[in-house]
Amino acid sequence: MPTHREPALRTIGLRKAFGDHLAVDDIHLTVPAGSFYGLVGPNGAGKTTTLAMAVGLLRPDAGSAEIFGVDVWRDTVQAKGLIGVLPDGNAMPERLTGREVLTYLGLLRGLPPAVVAERTDELLQILELDSAERSLVIEYSTGMRKKIGLAVALLHAPRLLVLDEPFEAVDPVSAATIRTILRRFAANGGSVIISSHVMALVEQLCDHVGVISDGRVVAAGTLADVRGAGTLEDAFVDLVGARAGGTEGLAWLTS
Amino acid sequence: MAHLLTPGPTALAQHMIRMRLALMRNSLRGDDAANLYTGVSLGVLLAFGTIAVAVLWPAYLPHTLAVWFSGWIFGPILFGGGSEALRPEYFSMLPATPGRIAAALLAGAFAGPAPAVNLIALLSLPVYGWRFGPAGVLIGLGAAVTTLITMVMVSRVIVALIGLFVRSRATAAAVGIAIGTAIALCSNGWAPFVALGGTDTAAWSQVLVRALPSGWGVAAIEAPWPLALAILVAGAGVIALLLAAWAVLLSRRVVSAARGGMPTRRGAPRPFPAASGARITAVKELRAWWRDLVRIQLLALALSYAIVTPLLLVTIDSWIMVPFAGLIAIVMAAASSANLYGADGTALWLTLMTPGAERADVRGRQLAWLVVVGPAAVVLSLAGTLVSGQAWAWPWVLGLLPALLGGAAGLIVLLGVTSLVPGTDPHKRGGNPLSTGADETAETSVAWLVLIAVPATALPTAGAILLHPWAGIATGVLTGALSAWGLGRIAHRRLENHGIDLLNLMKHGPAPQADKPTTADLPIQHRIGVTISYLIAWLPLFPQGLVPMVMKIVGIEDRGWFLALHLPPVWQWPTIIFMIALGLLMYGYAILIPMRLGSSSSAATS
């Protein structure tokens, strides 16, 4: 049986190549139970690939992943029951309305109809999707798609939330709502992993951080350990060995 | 500070052509390259065939060119205009008039293999003109160019019209009915011609094929030169008109938001019933059927084909196929539902992340398909058999109906998870509401597989009926239930074990070292062979084999274009049997070779 002493998520030597390109190379991550974990890295670093392998949506070439001690690839059904996932860019049942998507998935999970109806109402209202009652998901804006994806991840009250870029394209008011929801979830013992480009956001929300660059973990630990004395952004730029550009060239634009 | 750089018309056209060629170069990797080479070699073969027609059977040249023309018309409808490599949306912010952009896009549209192949076919015009002297060759050359531009333009205008106006269930169904009727005419269109009377029809059809844009070249060559020039000038005028129409359509398409093939709705939908498992998936699927224009169009296609095909034979007073309209509808509807999982795209992740949902998903899709197709098939079967007065058909209809329904419900989910053809996710599709963005060649071969496999599931029932007419009903119900249950069970087991691989096939494309053998892994000569077999095997099997067989049995005198019926009586049955065997052999080759070579190559590498 999974216990609270097991980490919420542990990946052991995850590795994935797409053709000749090694997207993820030997990733070891440990997300303590009850933590709010931020996974950061430049574009194309392998964050999305890592998270997809960690939750069982992408078969790794090597390595394994455990959720509260449950092996994702061996005890698939049990692991799936423990997590809520918001992947980046996947389709939804596009020809249902937001309410229909939540009702359908809740009933498919075997939740009692009354519970499904109550949770659906609350989620739609809090995420301000109730005004688009007649729109199908295919007609949603990018931000609305994120919000319905988040509602899907929350619907069955999982113990671990794995959210890939949950704040991308979301308006500031909704983002504040989502931050509050996630903080409450973590404060009540839930574990959260988010991936993001926005350092300020990670600094504000997370207590643990992992930095990925070129498919490898370059730093991981508590926020204080990773950022040291400076800001997370400074530490990040140092860690990934990048140099902020934009001061040279483009003479034609500024003349 | 800022320079307003508007390239001239020629420069813009040159850029489009370069961009189109660059897109083609970049997509020419692995599978796509092999598909392209197969398609082009087949096309060149047909093009030289057309030139051969101009030399050997000149009277049929306008008919042959009409076939090329219909390819340009129906190709984009059937295959959703997938070849639209340069989307007008890319250029909506260019500071140029719609007319200029349309002309440049047109130039880009020619920088592809299809127009080049078609141009070879149109060289049949100057070859035909040779009979009328040097002037004929000259007019033929001019006509070849104008005909090519007209054909490509008509094709583009149709794609643009569909993109703009197919926004409701009615228009989607109308397109489906038009295509279904056209396919029915291709297979049984000879019947009304026969009914209209022998030689008169020939004269009438000669005028018709010359009146079509594809026949203007032939008409010009045959006409005295002032009239010939007038026809060419008129052709150029038509091109100008089409271009103007296209420019208007394009500028409207760019500013009207694409809704991914969604009909308009009023009011909030009814709440979901409090069901669970397979039934809740079925409810979701039924709503998807009702709200997806692609599915509505394909369903309309299947039903209209099933109704029109038997009715065409009624024109020669043959009611033999009318009782079977419902059965044809089942097979056609199954063929158009063969890529259910591919059409939904990466939404599969939700099924995979919900514990134990795979079974409910497969069973729900089967249930929804039966609810959509079943009632129509039953009504068509009962009404058809009653109206036709073919009492002998009752045991066949009542036995085959449950057998085919069950077999189809089992096969569509099985093929959906074993032969998935990845498309574009619904929310990322372009301006064409009837396109799923899937590889048309692959989708078509899966559809052919269904057309053969679904009737095969009813073979035991057919055998039982031959033994005893009423034994068929019990056998039909039993094999139907077994097929739906058993094949569905294999499907959901496979979804449980390989669902992740399907998801990533749709997300990232085929894995470089695929475990699953596909046609793409075949050596090129077998790929060409398999494609050609799929394309023409129906010719010996159906119109040259089964149809003359039925005509001989029923005693229809007209010989039509059926080779066997033109031969001395002693050779007729052997020819019919040879044709049927040839068709079956070609299908067998096309299906078995990829399996055999695929398994041996994967065995060699593993």
Side-chain angles (χ1 to χ4, degrees):
Chain A
M1 263 315 283
T3 64
H4 271 289
R5 262 172 296 173
E6 295 279 2
L9 172 74
R10 177 162 49 200
T11 73
I12 304 141
L14 283 180
R15 195 183 133 89
K16 184 75 194 178
F18 294 108
D20 301 332
H21 172 63
L22 194 57
V24 167
D25 184 11
D26 196 30
I27 292 234
H28 295 263
L29 281 177
T30 303
V31 178
S35 68
F36 202 131
Y37 199 101
L39 194 59
V40 299
N43 293 326
K47 302 186 293 291
T48 296
T49 309
T50 304
L51 291 182
M53 286 191 287
V55 300
L57 280 175
L58 179 67
R59 205 184 295 282
D61 294 341
S64 62
E66 288 171 5
I67 287 164
F68 294 108
V70 179
D71 191 300
V72 170
W73 293 100
R74 241 179 326 208
D75 300 317
T76 314
V77 172
Q78 201 193 345
K80 283 175 187 173
L82 297 168
I83 46 176
V85 181
L86 169 69
D88 190 32
N90 276 355
M92 302 280 291
E94 301 285 339
R95 289 169 207 282
L96 299 185
T97 65
R99 179 178 298 277
E100 287 175 334
V101 167
L102 294 177
T103 311
Y104 162 62
L105 288 169
L107 294 173
L108 193 63
R109 275 191 182 267
L111 297 175
V115 174
V116 173
E118 190 195 331
R119 289 185 186 178
T120 300
D121 266 337
E122 271 194 88
L123 283 168
L124 290 176
Q125 201 192 338
I126 290 174
L127 291 168
E128 287 167 329
L129 290 170
D130 51 348
S131 56
E133 196 69 71
R134 283 158 54 181
S135 304
L136 305 190
V137 173
I138 197 169
E139 300 163 302
Y140 276 17
S141 67
T142 317
M144 289 165 78
R145 294 186 73 90
K146 281 283 176 202
K147 291 200 275 182
I148 191 70
L150 185 68
V152 165
L154 295 170
L155 181 66
H156 53 287
R159 288 177 56 196
L160 168 65
L161 280 174
V162 181
L163 313 174
D164 198 356
E165 301 280 2
F167 296 98
E168 208 180 34
V170 174
D171 67 83
V173 179
S174 302
T177 310
I178 296 174
R179 278 200 300 272
T180 312
I181 297 172
L182 295 183
R183 279 207 191 97
R184 277 178 61 195
F185 178 76
N188 286 294
S191 313
V192 186
I193 308 170
I194 63 167
S195 75
S196 182
H197 298 297
V198 187
M199 296 303 146
L201 186 97
V202 172
E203 233 168 345
Q204 196 189 351
L205 276 177
C206 301
D207 45 47
H208 285 70
V209 181
V211 184
I212 296 187
S213 179
D214 286 328
R216 290 175 156 275
V217 180
V218 290
T222 62
L223 179 64
D225 285 346
V226 172
R227 73 175 162 191
T231 64
L232 184 60
E233 188 156 335
D234 294 336
F236 177 81
V237 172
D238 276 348
L239 281 166
V240 302
R243 185 178 61 100
T247 53
E248 289 161 21
L250 306 187
W252 49 270
L253 187 64
T254 46
S255 63
Chain B
M1 206 169 91
H3 302 275
L4 195 63
L5 288 174
T6 310
T10 341
L12 196 56
Q14 280 173 358
H15 289 313
M16 292 286 184
I17 292 173
R18 275 194 211 118
M19 191 166 162
R20 174 83 171 81
L21 291 176
L23 282 170
M24 201 166 75
R25 250 196 327 273
N26 292 339
S27 67
L28 277 191
R29 306 229 163 96
D31 262 22
D32 291 335
N35 274 338
L36 183 76
Y37 295 141
T38 317
V40 168
S41 23
L42 193 71
V44 169
L45 210 67
L46 292 174
F48 280 106
T50 309
I51 296 179
V53 168
V55 177
L56 301 173
W57 307 281
Y60 291 102
L61 181 61
H63 300 78
T64 317
L65 293 178
V67 172
W68 284 91
F69 184 50
S70 64
W72 282 102
I73 293 180
F74 289 108
I77 304 178
L78 277 175
F79 300 142
S83 64
E84 210 174 26
L86 297 177
R87 289 192 190 165
E89 285 86 353
Y90 299 163
F91 311 104
S92 56
M93 289 310 288
L94 274 187
T97 59
R100 192 174 279 186
I101 292 182
L105 278 172
L106 180 64
F110 280 98
V117 167
N118 203 135
L119 186 62
I120 300 178
L122 283 168
L123 289 180
S124 57
L125 284 172
V127 170
Y128 179 66
W130 183 250
R131 294 163 185 271
F132 299 83
V137 176
L138 268 182
I139 293 171
L141 277 174
V145 175
T146 54
T147 311
L148 179 68
I149 302 178
T150 311
M151 285 183 178
V152 175
M153 277 308 320
V154 167
S155 175
R156 297 281 104 183
V157 167
I158 286 177
V159 171
L161 281 173
I162 290 178
L164 258 187
F165 294 109
V166 179
R167 292 282 161 90
S168 65
R169 292 186 185 99
T171 45
V175 172
I177 291 170
I179 305 170
T181 310
I183 301 176
L185 281 170
C186 286
S187 60
N188 275 349
W190 53 269
F193 273 91
V194 170
L196 283 171
T199 46
D200 292 349
T201 325
W204 183 67
S205 76
Q206 291 291 345
V207 175
L208 176 74
V209 289
R210 281 171 178 74
L212 289 174
S214 55
W216 295 348
V218 174
I221 292 169
E222 290 166 348
W225 70 265
L227 183 57
L229 278 185
I231 294 176
L232 288 185
V233 170
V238 168
I239 292 172
L241 279 178
L242 285 170
L243 190 63
W246 195 44
V248 173
L249 291 171
L250 282 187
S251 58
R252 285 188 53 184
R253 162 173 161 174
V254 166
V255 295
S256 73
R259 286 160 46 95
M262 257 301 308
T264 45
R265 277 156 303 108
R266 295 180 201 87
R270 276 179 299 121
F272 263 38
S276 63
R279 275 181 301 150
I280 198 70
T281 313
V283 173
K284 179 212 78 168
E285 274 293 289
L286 284 175
R287 293 191 183 200
W289 274 97
W290 182 237
R291 293 172 187 174
D292 186 348
L293 294 182
V294 179
R295 293 202 199 194
I296 288 173
Q297 178 229 0
L298 289 174
L299 197 63
L301 187 160
L303 290 178
S304 63
Y305 176 83
I307 295 170
V308 173
T309 305
L311 287 184
L312 286 173
L313 286 181
V314 170
T315 57
I316 52 168
D317 209 28
S318 163
W319 291 77
I320 185 165
M321 278 180 80
V322 176
F324 302 111
L327 305 185
I328 300 173
I330 295 172
V331 178
M332 287 298 285
S336 56
S337 310
N339 199 23
L340 278 181
Y341 281 92
D344 279 358
T346 52
L348 180 62
W349 79 272
L350 277 166
T351 306
L352 300 177
M353 286 311 290
T354 308
E358 290 90 349
R359 189 186 159 276
D361 196 81
V362 166
R363 294 300 185 203
R365 281 171 196 268
Q366 289 185 295
L367 195 58
W369 189 85
L370 285 173
V371 169
V372 170
V373 179
V378 171
V379 169
L380 276 178
S381 296
L382 298 184
T385 318
L386 272 178
V387 170
S388 68
Q390 310 275 320
W392 60 270
W394 278 115
W396 290 95
V397 170
L398 295 179
L400 293 177
L401 187 66
L404 285 174
L405 272 176
L411 275 168
I412 52 165
V413 286
L414 182 63
L415 287 174
V417 296
T418 52
S419 315
L420 185 145
V421 183
T424 311
D425 269 359
H427 63 290
K428 292 177 183 162
R429 284 174 197 163
N432 186 335
L434 296 186
S435 165
T436 60
D439 173 8
E440 304 92 29
T441 325
E443 258 191 336
T444 314
S445 22
V446 178
W448 274 111
L449 196 60
V450 174
L451 289 182
I452 297 156
V454 171
T457 61
L459 282 179
T461 311
I465 295 168
L466 285 176
L467 286 176
H468 186 279
W470 299 108
I473 297 179
T475 319
V477 171
L478 193 70
T479 58
L482 265 178
S483 309
W485 175 80
L487 299 176
R489 187 180 159 83
I490 302 175
H492 74 71
R493 285 284 173 84
R494 197 174 161 85
L495 197 57
E496 280 158 19
N497 298 325
H498 294 277
I500 301 288
D501 305 317
L502 290 181
L503 177 67
N504 289 296
L505 172 68
M506 291 189 277
K507 220 169 153 62
H508 306 289
Q513 295 100 20
D515 305 318
K516 199 182 72 168
T518 60
T519 337
D521 306 325
L522 293 179
I524 187 81
Q525 69 270 27
H526 277 299
R527 279 182 67 88
I528 296 175
V530 166
T531 309
I532 292 177
S533 293
Y534 270 130
L535 282 176
I536 62 171
W538 61 276
L539 213 75
L541 182 59
F542 295 102
Q544 294 298 340
L546 293 173
V547 175
M549 180 178 85
V550 171
M551 288 177 73
K552 256 185 88 72
I553 293 173
V554 180
I556 297 167
E557 290 299 317
D558 187 86
R559 293 186 291 186
W561 64 298
F562 308 112
L563 176 68
L565 304 185
H566 285 272
L567 296 173
V570 67
W571 285 107
Q572 291 189 354
W573 275 116
T575 310
I576 288 171
I577 290 165
F578 170 76
M579 286 293 182
I580 295 176
L582 182 67
L584 289 177
L585 207 67
M586 290 173 89
Y587 277 125
Y589 167 79
I591 293 166
L592 292 178
I593 282 290
M595 287 184 185
R596 203 172 60 81
L597 287 184
S599 58
S600 65
S601 71
S602 70
T605 52
S606 61

